[in-house]
Amino acid sequence: MTAWLEIKDLKASVDDKDILNGLNMTVNEGEVHAVMGPNGAGKSTLFNVLCGNPHYRVTGGEVLFKGKNLLDMSVDERAHEGVFLAFQLPVEIPGISMATFMKYALNAGRRAKGMKDFDAVGYMKHVKVRSKALGVTDEMLKRPVNVGFSGGEKKRMEMFQMAVLEPSLCMVDEMDSGLDVDALKVVADAINVMRAADRSFMLISHNRRFLESVGVDKVHVLVKGKVVKTGGRDLLEELTSFAAYQEAE
Amino acid sequence: MADVSKTVSAPLYSDGAESIRAEAGRTAVVVDRAPAAKCSVVVEKGASLLHYRFCGGTDAAVDAVVEEGGKYEVLTLQTAGGNVGMTVSLAGSGASCRSDAVYVLSGGEKGSFVSKVAHNADDTVSSQLIKGAVAGTAEETFEGTVLIPPGHKGIDGAQQHRALLLSPTATVMAVPRLEIYSDDVKCAHGSAVGDLDEYQLYYLQTRGIGEEEAKKVLVGAFLNEVTDGIFDETLKAEFAKRIEAALPF
Ligand SMILES: Nc1ncnc2c1ncn2[C@@H]1O[C@H](COP(=O)(O)OP(=O)(O)O)[C@@H](O)[C@H]1O
Ligand SMILES: [Mg+2]
């Protein structure tokens, strides 16, 4: 296994407030990692910094993705490299349907690889296989992006976008919070189906059952912007409460 | 004069028309790609007129009278400077009017959209959705008056104006004006001018869509709300094409 993502001493701030304080983490090709830790530890910030969210300022450290300097790239370039974030709170975009949105996204990715845009038939085929598998109806594809969707539907649509774009680093931010058992299964199934030797996952979750159903390889505990503990699956059992970690700081 | 004495469902192209009359009980669709400085419109009793105007660079005013039970729907696109305007008199009971508009200005263009809708009879209904995008150092002034003189009942008037500023040096001045002198009136109005939503922009970029294209997609989605309802697909596509061409990216 080769290192897919290497995060070295990463520091980041927002509005002059330090949030990531020298974070180290390595994710190998094909692995599934859980990122846990108390609220406000900086988990979502980490994912957004890796995506290049301009709201966050990187103040130190280095991130290599497949050997390339990720921090030098624009947000869309990172996506073309295979970085994907399933948002905890996806934004609503009135006036554009999910089907059209994904067409723009797919074609932008294809152009970056020097490929031609999808033709209408090729595009429909690519989308239909995935929408069917994830229980995304035609009506949902025609609706404006995330507008009028329930919490569960929004998360399903995030998983759908992940399936359509076939990223190589899937960061999934609290997909499991606030979902009922059925919706949770959709998310877990989507991840399990997409698991591949050349695709890694980072999952923010507090839900032990969800993480077990996905079968994580490694578990990281984040506290105050640092990884304070890394272990295997068995670490899940220990983590009934993050309070201890917060106090130890 | 545009010949709309027959009932037509397909658009009739009538560039530079100085007068349009929809005869009693008829339905007409008129497209004007080079509106005259002044065009007078009469919608006779029970007639319906759909009126599409592509304005840009020159002044173009409409002076319309809608008789009893008549229905006037006018959609104006302004893609360059100049003073565009309309006055509509809902002169007979049950007359209605929808006077929507889209404006897109860039560079150093200066434009205005001035409308005045007068409810001069009982049970008249008016609605107006104006959306704009302004870039560079362009300036747009929107002045929208809804006038309800004393002594009328059953009036319903709605006006919404929304604009996006695509650069820090672009300006939009909005002067919505409700002049209500009757009691039995329903009137809703609102105006908002703001920047592109950074979170939406980021969301699109995380899916691999480059910044410029993402802006184009978002502005298009924003303005689409006005043109979405156009019944004729060719005409709708022409609006979309002209809007896209007028955007600075
Ligand atoms: N966009 C932002 N603006 C201001 N503060 C933020 C922003 N994002 C995160 N923070 C702050 O950074 C800290 C870490 O937040 P976050 O990364 O969301 O934590 P977690 O996902 O671990 O709960 C919190 O104190 C939060 O208030
Ligand atoms: Mg979070």
Side-chain angles (χ1 to χ4, degrees):
Chain A
M1 255 184 278
T2 47
W4 207 228
L5 178 73
E6 288 177 274
I7 305 170
K8 297 174 193 163
D9 200 28
L10 184 62
K11 294 177 180 148
S13 65
V14 60
D15 305 336
D16 289 328
K17 184 178 153 197
D18 295 331
I19 300 179
L20 301 184
N21 299 301
L23 187 144
N24 293 288
M25 193 182 289
T26 300
V27 179
N28 293 320
E29 191 172 1
E31 285 181 348
V32 179
H33 287 215
V35 178
M36 307 182 83
N39 273 334
K43 305 180 296 294
S44 297
T45 298
L46 171 64
F47 282 10
N48 276 285
V49 167
L50 294 178
C51 277
N53 187 332
H55 203 74
Y56 300 87
R57 202 156 56 87
V58 175
T59 52
E62 191 184 14
V63 178
L64 296 177
F65 183 52
K66 301 179 200 167
K68 291 185 190 166
N69 183 351
L70 196 67
L71 300 178
D72 269 355
M73 299 178 201
S74 64
V75 178
D76 53 306
E77 282 168 352
R78 298 179 201 209
H80 300 155
E81 287 296 327
V83 174
F84 180 88
L85 172 57
F87 286 79
Q88 184 179 3
L89 298 170
V91 65
E92 298 185 359
I93 309 177
I96 174 170
S97 71
M98 181 56 77
T100 305
F101 176 38
M102 280 296 99
K103 187 144 87 187
Y104 281 120
L106 266 176
N107 284 335
R110 287 168 69 91
R111 270 176 246 154
K113 291 187 187 71
M115 293 161 76
K116 270 201 266 176
D117 283 11
F118 259 122
D119 60 35
V121 175
Y123 172 68
M124 279 322 286
K125 256 165 91 179
H126 183 91
V127 163
K128 278 290 160 63
V129 176
R130 289 157 179 85
S131 58
K132 231 172 127 186
L134 285 163
V136 171
T137 62
D138 287 358
E139 192 270 328
M140 287 165 92
L141 292 175
K142 281 186 195 140
R143 251 192 274 169
V145 176
N146 295 321
V147 177
F149 285 84
S150 70
E153 283 175 329
K154 282 183 186 169
K155 290 179 176 181
R156 190 188 293 258
M157 293 314 263
E158 291 293 294
M159 291 296 103
F160 167 70
Q161 292 177 53
M162 187 167 90
V164 166
L165 297 173
E166 303 181 305
S168 50
L169 178 67
C170 304
M171 295 186 282
V172 178
D173 193 351
E174 297 208 30
M175 268 309 111
D176 54 302
S177 55
L179 292 192
D180 60 26
V181 179
D182 289 343
L184 198 60
K185 196 170 175 307
V186 170
V187 174
D189 286 352
I191 291 169
N192 282 324
V193 166
M194 285 189 69
R195 283 196 72 158
D198 58 354
R199 179 173 293 134
S200 305
F201 290 83
M202 294 164 83
L203 313 174
I204 296 175
S205 171
H206 298 295
N207 187 328
R208 198 175 130 188
R209 213 172 66 187
F210 169 71
L211 290 170
E212 279 171 351
S213 70
V214 171
V216 297
D217 301 302
K218 266 191 190 146
V219 179
H220 305 276
V221 181
L222 228 85
V223 176
K224 292 183 183 161
K226 275 185 179 171
V227 175
V228 297
K229 188 160 188 170
T230 294
R233 204 170 300 183
D234 45 318
L235 195 54
L236 289 177
E237 278 156 48
E238 284 177 42
L239 297 172
T240 43
S241 160
F242 299 111
Y245 286 98
Q246 217 153 11
E247 253 121 62
E249 265 296 291
Chain B
M1 156 129 61
D3 173 22
V4 291
S5 52
K6 295 187 288 294
T7 292
V8 285
S9 51
L12 175 78
Y13 288 86
S14 177
D15 295 346
E18 291 185 336
S19 70
I20 300 171
R21 176 177 289 268
E23 293 191 345
R26 310 285 189 173
T27 295
V29 184
V30 175
V31 181
D32 193 342
R33 289 178 165 131
K38 197 164 162 26
C39 175
S40 60
V41 169
V42 178
V43 180
E44 292 184 354
K45 190 172 168 179
S48 292
L49 174 64
L50 297 176
H51 187 191
Y52 298 94
R53 305 196 300 150
F54 296 108
C55 306
T58 57
D59 295 351
V62 162
D63 194 354
V65 176
V66 186
E67 297 175 354
E68 187 185 335
K71 213 171 126 185
Y72 180 44
E73 288 191 18
V74 53
L75 175 49
T76 304
L77 175 64
Q78 181 184 21
T79 49
N83 300 311
V84 175
M86 64 181 56
T87 59
V88 179
S89 168
L90 298 172
S93 73
S96 70
C97 159
R98 181 167 148 191
S99 51
D100 296 347
V102 172
Y103 59 84
V104 180
L105 296 186
S106 58
E109 290 166 348
K110 282 186 177 48
S112 70
F113 184 88
V114 178
S115 86
K116 184 172 177 178
V117 177
H119 290 259
N120 293 321
D122 291 350
D123 302 313
T124 48
V125 177
S126 75
S127 76
Q128 187 169 53
L129 176 64
I130 313 280
K131 281 193 156 187
V134 180
T137 55
E139 293 173 25
E140 172 82 9
T141 304
F142 163 68
E143 230 181 281
T145 305
V146 177
L147 170 67
I148 303 166
H152 296 301
K153 61 176 177 57
I155 308 284
D156 191 342
Q159 180 191 74
Q160 286 294 326
H161 169 253
R162 300 264 177 279
L164 285 176
L165 299 175
L166 302 179
S167 85
T169 47
T171 54
V172 169
M173 211 184 33
V175 192
R177 205 178 279 132
L178 298 183
E179 297 181 19
I180 304 175
Y181 304 103
S182 288
D183 292 332
D184 181 15
V185 164
K186 238 173 58 189
C187 226
H189 76 125
S191 176
V193 180
D195 301 328
L196 266 180
D197 185 311
E198 274 180 39
Y199 193 44
Q200 289 181 343
L201 194 58
Y202 169 59
Y203 189 71
L204 264 65
Q205 289 173 284
T206 63
R207 275 34 176 166
I209 302 171
E211 187 176 351
E212 295 284 282
E213 193 182 7
K215 283 183 181 172
K216 197 179 234 174
V217 169
L218 288 176
V219 176
F222 172 77
L223 299 176
N224 267 350
E225 189 190 348
V226 184
T227 55
D228 244 5
I230 298 174
F231 74 104
D232 183 273
E233 289 302 322
T234 317
L235 196 55
K236 189 148 90 177
E238 181 162 359
F239 270 93
K241 213 172 96 189
R242 284 172 184 256
I243 288 171
E244 197 180 323
L247 289 171
F249 33 71

